[in-house]
């Protein structure tokens, strides 16, 4: 098992939402510990399908999930043993690979129901993907965890965890024999961020060393180590370490790669986090790089690479079409009596027009504009549109429309929205490659409906 030579990936904003999900139970000193008495409690969480829609068959399946062994969970958790099939939206036995990056909403009420958790769905690929969710749920079942984050490599999982759980100026305790690239990252990269690190020798009297370090340093927030270690296969007393650490409010994260979830479940021993290089046992065929956090994503990555190559071949045609439509529409909207203001660098009225003229060959397909209406009037305009999807993201063949106050800034305070220049009546339109005249007519008829 050679150490990876993959360059360390600093986690991007890409995983923030998922990180939040992962860390929610862990952030507070009184973080909710995963119960060792799962899977019953755990699987209850899995089956939070809408009660009204639940059939007796569903109940039977739920029961089966509660009793299931690891072998059976590995096959069915996240799929038959959940409402996963509903999420993915097919009856296919093989897990469908959902490659779409953005998901659309039927209307504003549909969006709000999703935002308020009344409807289970997905918004944007960076926040969650149906196929990846199946994988995450399966790993959660095997680890007796409440949630799992799938990342693009084991190293990515490590870096994401360390950065999320050790604050700038904080202190991390690890072992000399933790995975070498993790150690380098902790020592060199985190060191540059002013984060202190102490590496304990497993061979010495580890327990008393750890106790001393924790007694003498009240800035420690995380204990991070492999068990078993690579390659010497030394094992930690996770239960004892967790006891010592928890007395001081320190979280425990175990890299359990060498064990696999079949052989060891650190959460049931008291650890707060467990991570894996899923490249190893979890994927198991030497053909995927993933963290506990991404066998499926690796599959999707391959797909995505193919699709990007295909997409690049038509990129110039698509971008030119969007540029043209957006510029025409920006002019038209600027002159429309129901529009307060149009934001588009292709307009002479834009404060960035002169700069854009020198920097850009075209001004792009996204136009933002302020409708003469309040939050609900603007929603009425959006709901009256027939061609674009109500969805976040931009740059695709299909036109997309969104009201930031109801989408990316949903739930933000008025002050926060104001600080970001987001008023309730702003609409962001990403023009696709549909015919300009059709989009124009659609927008004009929708404006009439405000
Ligand atoms: C114990 C352990 N943790 C983490 C990693 C890193 O995982 P990946 O190569 O998937 O980034 C490795 C890789 O060899 C490993 O052995």
């Amino acid at each position: 098992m050679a150490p990876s030579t993959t360059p360390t990936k600093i986690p991007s904003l890409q995983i923030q939402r998922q990180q939040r999900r992962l860390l929610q139970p862990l952030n507070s000193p009184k973080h909710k510990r995963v119960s060792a008495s799962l899977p019953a409690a755990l699987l209850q969480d899995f089956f939070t399908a809408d009660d009204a829609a639940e059939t007796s068959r569903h109940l039977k399946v739920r029961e089966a999930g509660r009793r299931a062994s690891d072998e059976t969970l590995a096959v069915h958790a996240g799929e038959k043993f959940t409402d996963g099939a509903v999420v993915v939206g097919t009856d296919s036995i093989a897990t469908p690979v959902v490659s779409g990056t953005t998901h659309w909403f039927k209307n504003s009420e549909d969006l709000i129901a999703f935002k308020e958790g009344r409807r289970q769905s997905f918004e944007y690929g960076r926040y969650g993907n149906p196929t990846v969710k199946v994988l995450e749920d399966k790993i959660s079942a095997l680890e007796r965890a409440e949630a799992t984050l799938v990342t693009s490599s084991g190293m990515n999982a490590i870096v994401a965890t360390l950065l999320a759980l050790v604050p700038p100026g904080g202190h991390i305790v690890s072992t000399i024999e933790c995975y070498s690239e993790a150690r380098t990252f902790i020592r060199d990269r985190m060191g540059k961020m002013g984060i202190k690190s102490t590496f304990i020798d497993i061979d010495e009297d580890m327990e008393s060393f750890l106790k001393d370090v924790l007694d003498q340093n009240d800035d420690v927030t995380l204990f991070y180590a492999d068990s078993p270690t690579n390659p010497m296969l030394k094992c930690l007393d996770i239960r004892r370490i967790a006891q010592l650490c928890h007395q001081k409010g320190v979280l425990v994260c175990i890299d359990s790669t060498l064990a696999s979830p079949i052989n060891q479940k650190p959460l049931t021993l008291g650890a707060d986090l467990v991570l894996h290089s899923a490249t190893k046992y979890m994927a198991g065929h030497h053909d995927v790089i993933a963290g506990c956090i991404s066998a499926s994503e690796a599959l999707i990555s391959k797909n995505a690479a193919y699709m990007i190559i295909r997409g690049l071949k038509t990129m110039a045609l698509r971008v030119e079409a969007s540029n043209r439509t957006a510029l025409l529409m920006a002019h038209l909207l600027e002159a429309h009596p129901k529009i307060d203001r149009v934001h588009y660098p292709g307009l002479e009225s834009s404060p960035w027009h002169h700069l854009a003229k020198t920097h850009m060959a075209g001004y792009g397909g996204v136009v933002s504009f302020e409708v003469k209406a309040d939050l609900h009037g603007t929603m009425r305009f959006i709901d009256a549109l027939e061609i674009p999807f109500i969805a976040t993201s931009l740059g695709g063949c299909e036109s997309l429309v969104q009201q930031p106050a109801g989408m990316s800034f949903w739930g933000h305070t008025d002050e926060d929205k104001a600080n970001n220049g987001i008023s309730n009546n702003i609409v962001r339109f990403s023009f696709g490659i549909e015919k300009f005249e059709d989009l124009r007519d659609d927008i004009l008829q929708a404006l009439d409906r405000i």
Side-chain angles (χ1 to χ4, degrees):
M1 198 177 294
S4 164
T5 52
T6 314
T8 301
K9 286 189 190 164
I10 305 293
S12 64
L13 289 175
Q14 186 171 350
I15 51 177
Q16 271 189 355
R17 162 105 183 255
Q18 286 164 306
Q19 262 182 12
R20 233 178 291 140
R21 188 151 62 82
L22 176 73
L23 300 177
Q24 256 164 7
L26 306 169
N27 264 342
S28 88
K30 290 189 173 26
H31 49 272
K32 198 161 97 193
R33 187 82 25 73
V34 175
S35 158
S37 66
L38 301 172
L42 160 76
L43 287 166
Q44 227 150 19
D45 276 345
F46 275 8
F47 296 111
T48 51
D50 188 356
D51 282 349
E54 224 169 39
T55 60
S56 58
R57 191 193 67 81
H58 217 108
L59 288 167
K60 266 169 63 188
V61 170
R62 188 200 273 194
E63 262 317 298
R66 285 188 180 148
R67 290 191 307 268
S69 62
D70 275 356
E71 288 82 348
T72 305
L73 284 175
V75 175
H76 290 302
E79 299 179 90
K80 189 160 196 272
F81 284 175
T82 72
D83 53 354
V86 175
V87 170
V88 177
T90 83
D91 295 330
S92 167
I93 288 175
T95 313
V97 176
V98 177
S99 56
T101 55
T102 189
H103 299 255
W104 65 286
F105 299 89
K106 288 192 218 54
N107 49 44
S108 299
E109 169 45 30
D110 188 38
L111 169 61
I112 291 167
F114 165 72
K115 291 283 186 183
E116 291 180 346
R118 285 181 280 116
R119 187 168 88 72
Q120 193 182 9
S121 186
F122 294 85
E123 177 179 351
Y124 184 58
R126 181 151 47 79
Y127 310 149
N129 167 281
T131 312
V132 175
K133 186 177 184 306
V134 168
L135 172 61
E136 291 176 342
D137 286 355
K138 215 181 264 300
I139 296 170
S140 292
L142 291 169
E143 286 289 8
R144 314 293 189 257
E146 286 180 345
T148 292
L149 170 68
V150 168
T151 63
S152 58
S153 69
M155 200 54 213
N156 192 309
I158 293 169
V159 170
T161 304
L162 297 178
L163 290 182
L165 296 178
V166 189
H171 190 160
I172 175 170
V173 178
S174 186
T175 60
I176 294 170
E177 290 181 65
C178 78
Y179 176 56
S180 58
E181 289 192 35
R183 192 173 58 246
T184 307
F185 181 80
I186 293 170
R187 197 190 48 218
D188 300 348
R189 300 279 173 179
M190 295 181 85
K192 280 193 187 138
M193 297 174 206
I195 291 168
K196 280 186 271 172
S197 49
T198 304
F199 294 94
I200 297 177
D201 191 341
I202 302 179
D203 291 327
E204 298 299 320
D205 182 359
M206 180 177 171
E207 201 179 306
S208 61
F209 270 112
L210 176 60
K211 205 168 170 317
D212 286 351
V213 173
L214 296 176
D215 284 343
Q216 287 158 24
N217 299 278
D218 58 11
D219 53 359
V220 178
T221 54
L222 181 69
F223 174 88
Y224 167 85
D226 301 15
S227 186
T229 61
N230 183 9
M232 299 308 290
L233 301 160
K234 296 177 185 171
C235 295
L236 301 184
D237 182 345
I238 297 171
R239 210 173 249 128
R240 184 67 189 131
I241 287 167
Q243 269 171 4
L244 291 174
C245 287
H246 292 156
Q247 279 163 14
K248 299 284 180 181
V250 173
L251 295 171
V252 174
C253 174
I254 299 295
D255 180 339
S256 191
T257 300
L258 274 282
S260 91
I262 299 297
N263 290 330
Q264 176 173 269
K265 300 183 196 304
L267 301 182
T268 66
L269 301 170
D272 302 285
L273 292 111
V274 52
L275 60 84
H276 289 264
S277 164
T279 313
K280 311 299 184 317
Y281 289 109
M282 283 195 182
H285 291 76
H286 301 295
D287 53 2
V288 171
I289 294 279
C292 197
I293 289 183
S294 189
S296 224
E297 189 153 290
L299 271 179
I300 288 166
S301 300
K302 280 185 203 160
N303 256 345
Y306 163 73
M307 287 155 102
I308 294 165
I309 292 165
R310 189 185 62 171
L312 283 176
K313 296 184 184 181
T314 58
M315 183 168 66
L317 298 173
R318 288 183 285 102
V319 169
E320 276 162 25
S322 297
N323 284 345
R324 196 169 53 245
T325 300
L327 185 60
L328 286 168
M329 276 311 307
H331 280 293
L332 210 143
L333 288 167
E334 199 172 35
H336 196 284
K338 290 205 176 162
I339 299 294
D340 260 341
R341 203 167 157 205
V342 180
H343 304 265
Y344 188 63
L347 292 175
E348 280 93 63
S349 58
S350 161
W352 295 278
H353 181 61
H354 290 291
L355 202 56
K357 247 168 59 174
T358 65
H359 284 39
M360 302 172 80
Y363 301 106
V366 177
V367 179
S368 294
F369 49 93
E370 293 168 44
V371 177
K372 277 191 182 138
D374 60 8
L375 180 77
H376 295 284
T378 307
M379 283 178 175
R380 275 199 301 282
F381 162 70
I382 286 179
D383 290 348
L385 288 163
E386 286 167 5
I387 295 177
F389 288 115
I390 301 173
T392 193
S393 197
L394 54 95
C397 291
E398 299 85 358
S399 289
L400 305 182
V401 66
Q402 67 136 312
Q403 185 178 4
M407 182 80 75
S408 34
F409 280 83
W410 174 261
H412 285 229
T413 61
D414 287 345
E415 191 190 354
D416 198 24
K417 283 190 272 189
N419 287 341
N420 286 280
I422 301 299
S423 53
N424 286 337
N425 63 340
I426 287 200
V427 174
R428 194 190 76 182
F429 213 113
S430 168
F431 288 99
I433 59 167
E434 302 94 337
K435 200 166 173 62
F436 161 71
E437 287 78 4
D438 294 340
L439 288 166
R440 177 199 60 197
D441 293 350
D442 190 26
I443 290 172
L444 294 180
Q445 67 79 24
L447 283 171
D448 281 345
R449 305 270 288 279
I450 294 174

